[in-house]
Amino acid sequence: MTRGRLDGKHRGSCEGLSGMYASVLTFVERTLGGVLALAVCQGGDATNSVDLLGQSVWTPVLDTMRSKLGEVFTPANPDRFHHVRPSIPNFTTSMSFVASLEQLCLSPGAALRFRSTHVQPFRDSWNLVVYMQLRQNELNQVLAASKATPRPMDSTFAFPVTTATWHVLVKTWADGVVLAPLVAASARYSLTVLSQYMAYWRDPLESAVALVANASKTAATLFADVHHPGLTSCDDVYCLGSDLHRLGMHHVVELARMERSCWDTAAVLVSDECKKVLPAVRTIKGQYQMTNKPMPTTPSTYVATVTRPLDEFLAKWREDVGTHPLASDVLSTTMDSYASAALDLLKSATELEESLKSRKNQRLMM
């Protein structure tokens, strides 16, 4: 076990570690395989057995690595520290070597002694905490950069921050990044990333929802009061709803609530657009009452345009709306306003007819 063999073809690369492990394993199997299989070497009790594998094989290997090849345990390069390509030394390859040695323990007692006495100290030699910090710093830089990235034209997600969040979550658990001893730490980091993503959108979304619900301005101007670079228009609310839906994390209560808020707000905005043509209902009275025009046989021209904003919205966002009852909400709200306008028209027409009839009767009585 020399530095030259560790370096392989490239100085400082540690690419020869896997070959070095293989040579040690081959030597042990050929030279000591028969001896290690003896009952005296397979006991779990130190008082009546010999720990040949641990004391005569593993301890010298570990001492040599610590004294001469300490860079193996240094996670300065996270990709080299982990296992990305078969030729690169890393934690995974080293633990695989340990597992191969453990297979030489033919009894449960011998395996338990080897694992508890020798494997755990070896595992502790790795700077896993530093490795995790380096990985997190690398991923945090991706998240930070996404907030200043222009919105892409062709991407699964509308907002770069959503794309980056998804990328970070996937990479955190990707082969070549996650390590078995760090599963709990990776889970905590994933939850932190999700929490930061929700915090990025929560307040501006709540502000936008409140402004839309109590709109005293037009949709084109009210988003200026949200004061957030991601929510500057109605379309941004729709895009956020789409991103939250495409993340597919409907089991995360807060994300699901935020998605519902987006589509609830969209329902209000689309309803308002549909209602813009309803004042045309009032024009019917002037077109036909007290005129010689025949009764209409076809709907007025405005009728076909009442639901046009909803049709246009669904043509673009139908798949992302999912199971949200947006269409029925829009139609219900719009038709309520339509019915109210129609009733007002009929009431006005009836009052006028009664007034004219009353005047006519008064003239006849004179």
Side-chain angles (χ1 to χ4, degrees), residues 2 13 25 41 44 70 74 82 92 94 132 142 149 153 160 166 225 241 252 258 283 298 308 334 347 357:
T2 64
S13 67
L25 185 61
C41 296
T74 302
H82 200 293
T92 305
S94 297
M132 190 66 181
V142 174
T149 303
M153 297 301 295
W166 178 253
D225 295 332
V252 181
M258 292 170 65
T283 65
T298 58
R308 182 176 296 167
T334 303
K347 180 180 179 182
K357 185 183 294 185

PDB file of all heavy atoms in Angstrom, residues 2 13 25 41 44 70 74 82 92 94 132 142 149 153 160 166 225 241 252 258 283 298 308 334 347 357:
ATOM      1  N   THR A   2       1.127   1.773  -1.189  1.00  0.00           N
ATOM      2  CA  THR A   2       2.014   2.925  -1.342  1.00  0.00           C
ATOM      3  C   THR A   2       1.263   4.078  -1.989  1.00  0.00           C
ATOM      4  O   THR A   2       0.206   3.894  -2.602  1.00  0.00           O
ATOM      5  CB  THR A   2       3.218   2.559  -2.215  1.00  0.00           C
ATOM      6  OG1 THR A   2       2.747   2.238  -3.541  1.00  0.00           O
ATOM      7  CG2 THR A   2       3.966   1.362  -1.639  1.00  0.00           C
ATOM      8  N   SER A  13      -4.850  11.805  -7.450  1.00  0.00           N
ATOM      9  CA  SER A  13      -6.232  11.483  -7.824  1.00  0.00           C
ATOM     10  C   SER A  13      -6.841  10.380  -6.962  1.00  0.00           C
ATOM     11  O   SER A  13      -8.061  10.238  -6.903  1.00  0.00           O
ATOM     12  CB  SER A  13      -6.284  11.040  -9.290  1.00  0.00           C
ATOM     13  OG  SER A  13      -5.609   9.795  -9.450  1.00  0.00           O
ATOM     14  N   LEU A  25      -7.375  -7.840  -0.821  1.00  0.00           N
ATOM     15  CA  LEU A  25      -8.389  -8.884  -0.654  1.00  0.00           C
ATOM     16  C   LEU A  25      -7.931 -10.195  -1.298  1.00  0.00           C
ATOM     17  O   LEU A  25      -8.093 -11.280  -0.715  1.00  0.00           O
ATOM     18  CB  LEU A  25      -9.710  -8.417  -1.269  1.00  0.00           C
ATOM     19  CG  LEU A  25     -10.915  -9.345  -1.085  1.00  0.00           C
ATOM     20  CD1 LEU A  25     -11.225  -9.529   0.395  1.00  0.00           C
ATOM     21  CD2 LEU A  25     -12.136  -8.786  -1.813  1.00  0.00           C
ATOM     22  N   CYS A  41     -10.599 -19.191  14.477  1.00  0.00           N
ATOM     23  CA  CYS A  41     -10.638 -17.818  13.930  1.00  0.00           C
ATOM     24  C   CYS A  41     -12.060 -17.324  13.699  1.00  0.00           C
ATOM     25  O   CYS A  41     -12.257 -16.190  13.263  1.00  0.00           O
ATOM     26  CB  CYS A  41      -9.863 -17.758  12.616  1.00  0.00           C
ATOM     27  SG  CYS A  41      -8.100 -18.090  12.774  1.00  0.00           S
ATOM     28  N   GLY A  44     -16.612 -15.655  18.361  1.00  0.00           N
ATOM     29  CA  GLY A  44     -16.940 -14.271  18.683  1.00  0.00           C
ATOM     30  C   GLY A  44     -16.428 -13.843  20.034  1.00  0.00           C
ATOM     31  O   GLY A  44     -16.477 -12.660  20.384  1.00  0.00           O
ATOM     32  N   GLY A  70      -3.549   9.451   4.264  1.00  0.00           N
ATOM     33  CA  GLY A  70      -4.626  10.156   4.952  1.00  0.00           C
ATOM     34  C   GLY A  70      -5.552  10.932   4.040  1.00  0.00           C
ATOM     35  O   GLY A  70      -6.706  11.201   4.394  1.00  0.00           O
ATOM     36  N   THR A  74     -10.114  12.570   3.189  1.00  0.00           N
ATOM     37  CA  THR A  74     -10.376  14.007   3.102  1.00  0.00           C
ATOM     38  C   THR A  74     -11.426  14.295   2.041  1.00  0.00           C
ATOM     39  O   THR A  74     -11.235  13.966   0.869  1.00  0.00           O
ATOM     40  CB  THR A  74      -9.081  14.773   2.747  1.00  0.00           C
ATOM     41  OG1 THR A  74      -8.102  14.482   3.743  1.00  0.00           O
ATOM     42  CG2 THR A  74      -9.336  16.268   2.706  1.00  0.00           C
ATOM     43  N   HIS A  82     -17.050  10.520  -2.617  1.00  0.00           N
ATOM     44  CA  HIS A  82     -18.097   9.530  -2.867  1.00  0.00           C
ATOM     45  C   HIS A  82     -17.657   8.684  -4.052  1.00  0.00           C
ATOM     46  O   HIS A  82     -16.516   8.712  -4.469  1.00  0.00           O
ATOM     47  CB  HIS A  82     -19.432  10.231  -3.163  1.00  0.00           C
ATOM     48  CG  HIS A  82     -20.629   9.358  -2.955  1.00  0.00           C
ATOM     49  ND1 HIS A  82     -20.888   8.273  -3.740  1.00  0.00           N
ATOM     50  CD2 HIS A  82     -21.631   9.424  -2.038  1.00  0.00           C
ATOM     51  CE1 HIS A  82     -22.002   7.693  -3.336  1.00  0.00           C
ATOM     52  NE2 HIS A  82     -22.482   8.370  -2.305  1.00  0.00           N
ATOM     53  N   THR A  92     -17.812   4.924  -0.615  1.00  0.00           N
ATOM     54  CA  THR A  92     -18.579   3.744  -0.995  1.00  0.00           C
ATOM     55  C   THR A  92     -17.676   2.574  -1.355  1.00  0.00           C
ATOM     56  O   THR A  92     -17.918   1.431  -0.942  1.00  0.00           O
ATOM     57  CB  THR A  92     -19.502   4.071  -2.184  1.00  0.00           C
ATOM     58  OG1 THR A  92     -20.321   5.188  -1.845  1.00  0.00           O
ATOM     59  CG2 THR A  92     -20.381   2.889  -2.532  1.00  0.00           C
ATOM     60  N   SER A  94     -14.615   2.094  -0.338  1.00  0.00           N
ATOM     61  CA  SER A  94     -13.932   1.644   0.880  1.00  0.00           C
ATOM     62  C   SER A  94     -14.842   0.770   1.726  1.00  0.00           C
ATOM     63  O   SER A  94     -14.422  -0.267   2.253  1.00  0.00           O
ATOM     64  CB  SER A  94     -13.461   2.855   1.693  1.00  0.00           C
ATOM     65  OG  SER A  94     -12.515   3.604   0.965  1.00  0.00           O
ATOM     66  N   MET A 132     -20.868  16.354   4.014  1.00  0.00           N
ATOM     67  CA  MET A 132     -22.244  16.824   3.920  1.00  0.00           C
ATOM     68  C   MET A 132     -22.291  18.340   3.796  1.00  0.00           C
ATOM     69  O   MET A 132     -23.083  18.894   3.022  1.00  0.00           O
ATOM     70  CB  MET A 132     -23.030  16.362   5.152  1.00  0.00           C
ATOM     71  CG  MET A 132     -24.525  16.599   5.048  1.00  0.00           C
ATOM     72  SD  MET A 132     -25.256  15.586   3.737  1.00  0.00           S
ATOM     73  CE  MET A 132     -26.972  16.101   3.828  1.00  0.00           C
ATOM     74  N   VAL A 142     -26.617  26.749  -5.937  1.00  0.00           N
ATOM     75  CA  VAL A 142     -27.569  26.578  -7.043  1.00  0.00           C
ATOM     76  C   VAL A 142     -28.886  27.275  -6.709  1.00  0.00           C
ATOM     77  O   VAL A 142     -29.472  27.976  -7.544  1.00  0.00           O
ATOM     78  CB  VAL A 142     -27.814  25.079  -7.318  1.00  0.00           C
ATOM     79  CG1 VAL A 142     -28.911  24.893  -8.359  1.00  0.00           C
ATOM     80  CG2 VAL A 142     -26.528  24.412  -7.784  1.00  0.00           C
ATOM     81  N   THR A 149     -32.033  34.346 -11.757  1.00  0.00           N
ATOM     82  CA  THR A 149     -32.002  33.797 -13.111  1.00  0.00           C
ATOM     83  C   THR A 149     -33.276  34.156 -13.863  1.00  0.00           C
ATOM     84  O   THR A 149     -34.371  34.029 -13.310  1.00  0.00           O
ATOM     85  CB  THR A 149     -31.853  32.260 -13.062  1.00  0.00           C
ATOM     86  OG1 THR A 149     -30.668  31.934 -12.330  1.00  0.00           O
ATOM     87  CG2 THR A 149     -31.767  31.680 -14.467  1.00  0.00           C
ATOM     88  N   MET A 153     -37.769  29.783 -21.189  1.00  0.00           N
ATOM     89  CA  MET A 153     -38.890  29.670 -22.114  1.00  0.00           C
ATOM     90  C   MET A 153     -39.354  28.222 -22.257  1.00  0.00           C
ATOM     91  O   MET A 153     -40.523  27.957 -22.483  1.00  0.00           O
ATOM     92  CB  MET A 153     -38.488  30.228 -23.488  1.00  0.00           C
ATOM     93  CG  MET A 153     -38.144  31.712 -23.455  1.00  0.00           C
ATOM     94  SD  MET A 153     -39.521  32.738 -22.864  1.00  0.00           S
ATOM     95  CE  MET A 153     -40.701  32.460 -24.183  1.00  0.00           C
ATOM     96  N   PRO A 160     -37.345  29.678 -12.219  1.00  0.00           N
ATOM     97  CA  PRO A 160     -36.029  29.064 -11.978  1.00  0.00           C
ATOM     98  C   PRO A 160     -35.860  28.561 -10.553  1.00  0.00           C
ATOM     99  O   PRO A 160     -35.191  27.556 -10.329  1.00  0.00           O
ATOM    100  CB  PRO A 160     -35.053  30.210 -12.286  1.00  0.00           C
ATOM    101  CG  PRO A 160     -35.783  31.090 -13.239  1.00  0.00           C
ATOM    102  CD  PRO A 160     -37.221  31.033 -12.812  1.00  0.00           C
ATOM    103  N   TRP A 166     -36.179  21.627  -7.247  1.00  0.00           N
ATOM    104  CA  TRP A 166     -36.366  20.242  -7.685  1.00  0.00           C
ATOM    105  C   TRP A 166     -35.014  19.578  -7.958  1.00  0.00           C
ATOM    106  O   TRP A 166     -34.780  18.430  -7.555  1.00  0.00           O
ATOM    107  CB  TRP A 166     -37.237  20.209  -8.932  1.00  0.00           C
ATOM    108  CG  TRP A 166     -37.445  18.829  -9.482  1.00  0.00           C
ATOM    109  CD1 TRP A 166     -36.895  18.284 -10.605  1.00  0.00           C
ATOM    110  CD2 TRP A 166     -38.261  17.801  -8.910  1.00  0.00           C
ATOM    111  NE1 TRP A 166     -37.312  16.993 -10.779  1.00  0.00           N
ATOM    112  CE2 TRP A 166     -38.155  16.664  -9.746  1.00  0.00           C
ATOM    113  CE3 TRP A 166     -39.071  17.733  -7.775  1.00  0.00           C
ATOM    114  CZ2 TRP A 166     -38.822  15.479  -9.483  1.00  0.00           C
ATOM    115  CZ3 TRP A 166     -39.738  16.544  -7.513  1.00  0.00           C
ATOM    116  CH2 TRP A 166     -39.612  15.436  -8.367  1.00  0.00           C
ATOM    117  N   ASP A 225     -48.470  46.113  -5.622  1.00  0.00           N
ATOM    118  CA  ASP A 225     -48.440  46.193  -4.161  1.00  0.00           C
ATOM    119  C   ASP A 225     -47.948  44.910  -3.504  1.00  0.00           C
ATOM    120  O   ASP A 225     -47.814  44.852  -2.283  1.00  0.00           O
ATOM    121  CB  ASP A 225     -49.840  46.526  -3.627  1.00  0.00           C
ATOM    122  CG  ASP A 225     -50.300  47.915  -4.052  1.00  0.00           C
ATOM    123  OD1 ASP A 225     -49.425  48.779  -4.256  1.00  0.00           O
ATOM    124  OD2 ASP A 225     -51.518  48.124  -4.189  1.00  0.00           O
ATOM    125  N   GLY A 241     -49.033  28.306  -9.456  1.00  0.00           N
ATOM    126  CA  GLY A 241     -49.922  27.164  -9.260  1.00  0.00           C
ATOM    127  C   GLY A 241     -49.474  25.971 -10.089  1.00  0.00           C
ATOM    128  O   GLY A 241     -49.500  24.822  -9.623  1.00  0.00           O
ATOM    129  N   VAL A 252     -47.478  17.147   0.968  1.00  0.00           N
ATOM    130  CA  VAL A 252     -46.955  18.218   1.820  1.00  0.00           C
ATOM    131  C   VAL A 252     -48.070  19.249   1.988  1.00  0.00           C
ATOM    132  O   VAL A 252     -48.427  19.960   1.047  1.00  0.00           O
ATOM    133  CB  VAL A 252     -45.697  18.863   1.204  1.00  0.00           C
ATOM    134  CG1 VAL A 252     -45.159  19.968   2.114  1.00  0.00           C
ATOM    135  CG2 VAL A 252     -44.619  17.798   0.971  1.00  0.00           C
ATOM    136  N   MET A 258     -50.909  26.080  -0.667  1.00  0.00           N
ATOM    137  CA  MET A 258     -50.482  27.177  -1.531  1.00  0.00           C
ATOM    138  C   MET A 258     -50.993  26.982  -2.959  1.00  0.00           C
ATOM    139  O   MET A 258     -51.401  27.947  -3.615  1.00  0.00           O
ATOM    140  CB  MET A 258     -48.956  27.282  -1.504  1.00  0.00           C
ATOM    141  CG  MET A 258     -48.397  27.746  -0.163  1.00  0.00           C
ATOM    142  SD  MET A 258     -46.591  27.596  -0.039  1.00  0.00           S
ATOM    143  CE  MET A 258     -46.070  28.768  -1.295  1.00  0.00           C
ATOM    144  N   THR A 283     -78.460  46.508 -22.090  1.00  0.00           N
ATOM    145  CA  THR A 283     -78.764  47.130 -23.389  1.00  0.00           C
ATOM    146  C   THR A 283     -79.954  46.478 -24.081  1.00  0.00           C
ATOM    147  O   THR A 283     -80.517  47.050 -25.018  1.00  0.00           O
ATOM    148  CB  THR A 283     -77.537  47.047 -24.312  1.00  0.00           C
ATOM    149  OG1 THR A 283     -77.256  45.668 -24.622  1.00  0.00           O
ATOM    150  CG2 THR A 283     -76.306  47.658 -23.642  1.00  0.00           C
ATOM    151  N   THR A 298     -82.517  34.577 -31.593  1.00  0.00           N
ATOM    152  CA  THR A 298     -81.169  34.050 -31.321  1.00  0.00           C
ATOM    153  C   THR A 298     -80.567  34.818 -30.153  1.00  0.00           C
ATOM    154  O   THR A 298     -80.982  35.950 -29.867  1.00  0.00           O
ATOM    155  CB  THR A 298     -80.249  34.203 -32.549  1.00  0.00           C
ATOM    156  OG1 THR A 298     -80.173  35.592 -32.905  1.00  0.00           O
ATOM    157  CG2 THR A 298     -80.775  33.386 -33.726  1.00  0.00           C
ATOM    158  N   ARG A 308     -65.658  33.054 -22.599  1.00  0.00           N
ATOM    159  CA  ARG A 308     -64.419  33.006 -23.381  1.00  0.00           C
ATOM    160  C   ARG A 308     -63.164  33.075 -22.503  1.00  0.00           C
ATOM    161  O   ARG A 308     -62.208  32.309 -22.727  1.00  0.00           O
ATOM    162  CB  ARG A 308     -64.407  34.128 -24.411  1.00  0.00           C
ATOM    163  CG  ARG A 308     -63.170  34.115 -25.312  1.00  0.00           C
ATOM    164  CD  ARG A 308     -63.264  35.195 -26.359  1.00  0.00           C
ATOM    165  NE  ARG A 308     -64.393  34.937 -27.260  1.00  0.00           N
ATOM    166  CZ  ARG A 308     -64.865  35.842 -28.119  1.00  0.00           C
ATOM    167  NH1 ARG A 308     -64.329  37.058 -28.166  1.00  0.00           N
ATOM    168  NH2 ARG A 308     -65.880  35.535 -28.906  1.00  0.00           N
ATOM    169  N   THR A 334     -70.003  33.478 -12.086  1.00  0.00           N
ATOM    170  CA  THR A 334     -70.387  34.275 -13.256  1.00  0.00           C
ATOM    171  C   THR A 334     -71.886  34.174 -13.522  1.00  0.00           C
ATOM    172  O   THR A 334     -72.553  35.184 -13.800  1.00  0.00           O
ATOM    173  CB  THR A 334     -69.601  33.810 -14.496  1.00  0.00           C
ATOM    174  OG1 THR A 334     -68.202  33.892 -14.231  1.00  0.00           O
ATOM    175  CG2 THR A 334     -69.938  34.676 -15.702  1.00  0.00           C
ATOM    176  N   LYS A 347     -87.012  43.210 -13.931  1.00  0.00           N
ATOM    177  CA  LYS A 347     -87.718  44.049 -12.966  1.00  0.00           C
ATOM    178  C   LYS A 347     -87.916  45.456 -13.510  1.00  0.00           C
ATOM    179  O   LYS A 347     -89.006  46.042 -13.406  1.00  0.00           O
ATOM    180  CB  LYS A 347     -86.929  44.091 -11.659  1.00  0.00           C
ATOM    181  CG  LYS A 347     -87.586  44.935 -10.579  1.00  0.00           C
ATOM    182  CD  LYS A 347     -86.749  44.934  -9.307  1.00  0.00           C
ATOM    183  CE  LYS A 347     -87.394  45.798  -8.238  1.00  0.00           C
ATOM    184  NZ  LYS A 347     -86.568  45.835  -6.997  1.00  0.00           N
ATOM    185  N   LYS A 357     -98.798  51.372 -18.460  1.00  0.00           N
ATOM    186  CA  LYS A 357    -100.185  50.911 -18.400  1.00  0.00           C
ATOM    187  C   LYS A 357    -101.009  51.797 -17.466  1.00  0.00           C
ATOM    188  O   LYS A 357    -102.163  52.129 -17.752  1.00  0.00           O
ATOM    189  CB  LYS A 357    -100.231  49.467 -17.922  1.00  0.00           C
ATOM    190  CG  LYS A 357    -101.634  48.860 -17.936  1.00  0.00           C
ATOM    191  CD  LYS A 357    -101.619  47.451 -17.393  1.00  0.00           C
ATOM    192  CE  LYS A 357    -100.832  46.541 -18.306  1.00  0.00           C
ATOM    193  NZ  LYS A 357    -100.904  45.123 -17.841  1.00  0.00           N
TER     194      LYS A 357
END
